[in-house]
Amino acid sequence: MKNLKKLMLISAVAMGLLATSCSDDTNIEPINPTDDDNGGAPTGDTELNGSIEEDRTLDPAETYNLTGILSVESGATLTIPAGTEIIADTDTDDSDATNVYIVVQKGAQIDIQGTSSSPVIMRSKNGQPGTWGGLIIAGNAETAAGANATAEVGGIVYGGEDASDDSGSINYLVLSDAGASINSESQFNGLSLYAVGSETSIQNVALVNGADDGVEFFGGSVSITNLYLENNEDDAVDWTERWDGSLENVYVLHTIENFSTAIEADKENGNPMITNFTAVSTTGGTALQFKSVSGATITGLSLSGYDTAVDIADESRTDLTGIQLNGATANLGLDYSGDPSVDVAMFNWITNRGQVSVLPSSIENDLSLDANSEYVISSTVSVQDGATLTIPAGTQITARSDSETDATSIYIVVQRGGMIDIQGTKSNPVVMSSTSGEAGSWGGLVIAGNASTDAGVNATAEVGGIIYGGTTDDDNSGSIEYLVLKDAGASINSESQYNGLSLYAVGSGTVIENIAILNGADDGVEFFGGTVSVKNIYLENNEDDAVDWTEGWNGTIENTYVNHTIENFSTAIEADKRNAMPKIINFTAVSSTGGTALQFKATSGAEITGLSLSGYETIIDITDDTRTDISGITIDGTIVDITAAYDAAATVDISLFEWVN
């Protein structure tokens, strides 16, 4: 009996030495088993690294620091409850971002149990992209790399023959700041999926601010539903090695420069299925890139703001039938723009996500914008007959403009029978501008009405082929209050240009008050017939005319302030064609560069009261030298005197427009 006890003691010591020896042979230290119900982790231990060899559940009341590689070993499950936060700490001098990540090995599982109100958060301590390696899952599904392949990161082994392999479940996860770089050819991603099987459940995931890809699939058959990707510096979605899973409801947002793509596909074509993929860029770039013989079937594809919609990396590739986009073989001539197929509001559970949305190209039903979101337009937005576009106070709408974009195709038009309701306030105006801030970089706001115009009924506008004009002088196209409109005036040719605000036969039932039109390459506002009136309007440095009218407009402008500090503008007022005797009440114009104040062409005229002009070289210009009857032009109750200075004190107090800045 004593000999048996002695033998057992020797065996125990030997086993202990063997275990110690095995531990020394790996870079991942096992977590000390001090709590059998918590996967061997010490109760209250909030530092994460080493290997998890038994099931472990984190505590959502704790904030965890990831200080190295956390490896979930085969047979173990790591459970992360709703509300848990894991912070990758790579701020120390000797830290290496490529050695801080979470990996779920083949045969292991992860169970992320976030909710919409309490998602799981994984991020880096300093919030910078590329400061940790993200989340890696290795599975036993098939990959073109073969069984037991070795990953490009971490020496992780992946791949097998079980397409339905189950690596666990992920629900409501926000993962940011990943993408640590090993070298120019190998990087970590936000979420790296190596041969992950179809029984793995992944839904409601946000991958944000990564230095490499948002998600990359290395073969496998796993699918993801409800995926949000924002400002990942390489590809938002990347796949290779014959991944054959699916994506459903994907929203990609790019507001940074020099990213790679929204989708990059490479190598063998497993024909993954992508349903509802919306991608938005405010900085151009490439949307979809297909390398080698890769492909996919994508339905519900909506792209906005990209310079290149589809890029085929191999110029010799002629057979594109493996790339099916919206029901047809990929067409490199299409931009695949259109109404978003994914409503970004479905990702409102993501705290601090980019609040950028795309306005649909055609608004056929009433649409109310969200003042908390910035809106981007990169094509025509048309409010159709019977629909109303409501824009609440504080909303910002930005026209995406650069050298690759045709500025004349970017504008907002309210068609006849449509309405716009701009609800800005003095403290919170609505702002419409361009990304470039350059004059003429978009077409501004165009409204077409049913009022009378000398162009006749159903006339065609000089821009956009827009139909306007009718017989309803009290027609109502909506209401505009406190609007700042900048950078418009795109030029079609020397004879046809957009303005800041173009009013085609707009009726007197339309309300327009408190607007500012700045930095336009053509007119600030132009009236093409109609009966609409405008009150409290500020116009600054519009390169053609500040105010222009033609086609028998007979409305009223009250309280106008024009400011010219640029050279070579045209006029403060240009009037043309038949005189319908519009009324101009309190009109102050100031120039620091000379120029012409008021110009009357053909037989045009107006009834002007409260005129104050300062700094102009030419006060009144009658363009037709043969015109002798100028009785249709009256200023302060008398026929215009073309020799008068009209330099009375300002009739409009500039402080009326302090809200503009």
Side-chain angles (χ1 to χ4, degrees):
M1 190 68 170
K2 290 181 179 179
N3 291 336
L4 178 60
K5 288 183 177 178
K6 185 176 180 180
L7 181 60
M8 291 176 66
L9 178 60
I10 293 171
S11 297
V13 171
M15 290 298 290
L17 291 172
L18 179 60
T20 301
S21 175
C22 290
S23 176
D24 289 342
D25 287 341
T26 179
N27 293 325
I28 303 174
E29 296 290 339
I31 296 175
N32 295 326
T34 60
D35 185 344
D36 291 340
D37 294 329
N38 198 29
T43 303
D45 185 1
T46 59
E47 183 175 343
L48 297 179
N49 61 52
S51 60
I52 296 176
E53 298 174 344
E54 299 177 5
D55 294 352
R56 180 176 181 186
T57 300
L58 303 187
D59 182 354
E62 301 284 358
T63 298
Y64 291 87
N65 290 318
L66 180 67
T67 57
I69 301 169
L70 182 67
S71 177
V72 186
E73 304 297 338
S74 178
T77 298
L78 173 61
T79 299
I80 307 178
T84 303
E85 185 171 21
I86 297 174
I87 300 174
D89 188 355
T90 57
D91 282 354
T92 59
D93 292 339
D94 60 350
S95 64
D96 180 355
T98 63
N99 286 322
V100 180
Y101 58 89
I102 299 172
V103 55
V104 181
Q105 305 284 0
K106 284 207 303 181
Q109 291 196 332
I110 191 166
D111 184 10
I112 295 178
Q113 302 173 337
T115 66
S116 60
S117 59
S118 194
V120 168
I121 306 295
M122 297 181 181
R123 62 178 178 86
S124 78
K125 185 176 181 179
N126 65 17
Q128 296 301 309
T131 47
W132 70 299
L135 175 61
I136 302 168
I137 303 178
N140 271 303
E142 295 179 353
T143 165
N148 297 320
T150 301
E152 67 180 15
V153 296
I156 299 161
V157 176
Y158 70 102
E161 298 179 349
D162 184 4
S164 62
D165 187 40
D166 184 0
S167 295
S169 173
I170 298 175
N171 200 10
Y172 289 104
L173 167 66
V174 179
L175 192 156
S176 62
D177 317 320
S181 177
I182 300 171
N183 54 51
S184 61
E185 299 299 320
S186 299
Q187 301 84 23
F188 290 81
N189 307 294
L191 178 60
S192 300
L193 300 171
Y194 284 90
V196 177
S198 61
E199 287 300 304
T200 307
S201 175
I202 304 178
Q203 54 187 337
N204 302 305
V205 174
L207 304 169
V208 180
N209 193 42
D212 202 67
D213 301 336
V215 58
E216 184 165 5
F217 301 85
F218 297 84
S221 49
V222 67
S223 298
I224 301 179
T225 301
N226 304 341
L227 176 62
Y228 179 86
L229 304 117
E230 179 181 325
N231 288 343
N232 295 284
E233 295 176 4
D234 195 9
D235 312 303
V237 177
D238 192 347
W239 66 80
T240 186
E241 299 179 11
R242 206 173 53 238
W243 170 61
D244 62 1
S246 66
L247 295 174
E248 183 175 359
N249 300 334
V250 181
Y251 195 99
V252 177
L253 176 62
H254 286 124
T255 62
I256 58 172
E257 302 278 353
N258 301 319
F259 64 90
S260 292
T261 69
I263 286 179
E264 179 189 279
D266 197 7
K267 299 183 179 176
E268 300 89 344
N269 184 7
N271 193 31
M273 309 295 289
I274 317 294
T275 304
N276 299 333
F277 188 96
T278 294
V280 177
S281 173
T282 63
T283 59
T286 297
L288 314 183
Q289 183 180 72
F290 294 91
K291 296 180 175 180
S292 186
V293 294
S294 62
T297 297
I298 306 178
T299 58
L301 176 63
S302 171
L303 306 176
S304 178
Y306 294 89
D307 299 322
T308 302
V310 181
D311 176 44
I312 305 301
D314 183 352
E315 295 180 356
S316 66
R317 180 177 179 179
T318 58
D319 183 4
L320 303 183
T321 56
I323 308 171
Q324 294 293 307
L325 305 180
N326 291 343
T329 298
N331 184 338
L332 304 187
L334 297 180
D335 61 11
Y336 293 98
S337 62
D339 296 346
S341 56
V342 178
D343 184 357
V344 71
M346 72 184 298
F347 298 104
N348 284 347
W349 56 272
I350 304 165
T351 303
N352 297 324
R353 72 168 175 82
Q355 299 293 318
V356 179
S357 301
V358 179
L359 284 179
S361 58
S362 180
I363 299 173
E364 299 176 354
N365 299 295
D366 293 351
L367 175 64
S368 294
L369 304 188
D370 180 355
N372 294 316
S373 184
E374 178 185 348
Y375 291 86
V376 174
I377 62 173
S378 56
S379 61
T380 304
V381 175
S382 178
V383 183
Q384 303 294 348
D385 182 5
T388 298
L389 173 62
T390 300
I391 307 177
T395 303
Q396 295 190 39
I397 298 175
T398 306
R400 191 240 155 182
S401 55
D402 57 29
S403 60
E404 302 293 332
T405 309
D406 180 5
T408 63
S409 67
I410 308 174
Y411 58 93
I412 299 173
V413 56
V414 182
Q415 305 285 0
R416 287 195 307 178
M419 297 183 75
I420 192 166
D421 184 10
I422 295 178
Q423 302 174 338
T425 65
K426 187 174 183 179
S427 60
N428 215 9
V430 169
V431 178
M432 299 179 180
S433 61
S434 77
T435 54
S436 68
E438 298 293 329
S441 52
W442 71 299
L445 176 59
V446 182
I447 303 178
N450 271 304
S452 56
T453 166
D454 289 352
V457 176
N458 298 327
T460 301
E462 67 179 18
V463 296
I466 299 161
I467 304 300
Y468 70 103
T471 58
T472 308
D473 280 349
D474 61 352
D475 187 40
N476 182 5
S477 295
S479 174
I480 299 176
E481 285 273 4
Y482 289 101
L483 168 66
V484 178
L485 199 157
K486 305 177 183 178
D487 314 324
S491 177
I492 300 171
N493 54 49
S494 61
E495 300 299 320
S496 299
Q497 301 85 22
Y498 290 83
N499 308 293
L501 178 61
S502 300
L503 300 171
Y504 284 90
V506 177
S508 61
T510 307
V511 175
I512 304 178
E513 298 183 355
N514 301 301
I515 63 172
I517 304 173
L518 318 174
N519 191 42
D522 202 68
D523 301 336
V525 58
E526 184 165 6
F527 302 84
F528 297 84
T531 54
V532 67
S533 296
V534 179
K535 184 176 182 180
N536 302 342
I537 179 170
Y538 179 80
L539 303 124
E540 179 178 294
N541 289 341
N542 295 284
E543 295 175 5
D544 196 10
D545 312 304
V547 178
D548 192 346
W549 68 80
T550 185
E551 297 181 12
W553 170 63
N554 67 352
T556 299
I557 298 178
E558 183 175 358
N559 299 336
T560 305
Y561 197 103
V562 176
N563 185 22
H564 283 128
T565 63
I566 58 172
E567 302 279 352
N568 302 318
F569 65 89
S570 293
T571 69
I573 286 179
E574 179 189 279
D576 197 7
K577 300 183 179 175
R578 182 180 68 89
N579 185 8
M581 212 62 180
K583 294 180 172 57
I584 314 298
I585 302 170
N586 298 333
F587 188 96
T588 295
V590 178
S591 172
S592 61
T593 59
T596 298
L598 312 185
Q599 183 180 78
F600 295 90
K601 296 180 176 181
T603 59
S604 62
E607 179 184 328
I608 304 174
T609 57
L611 178 63
S612 170
L613 305 175
S614 175
Y616 294 91
E617 295 166 347
T618 301
I619 304 303
I620 308 292
D621 177 33
I622 308 298
T623 60
D624 184 352
D625 292 339
T626 64
R627 179 177 178 180
T628 57
D629 182 5
I630 54 175
S631 60
I633 308 170
T634 66
I635 298 178
D636 292 328
T638 61
I639 295 174
V640 63
D641 180 353
I642 60 174
T643 65
Y646 295 107
D647 56 357
T651 55
V652 178
D653 188 345
I654 187 64
S655 66
L656 180 66
F657 301 102
E658 287 179 348
W659 59 270
V660 174
N661 296 318

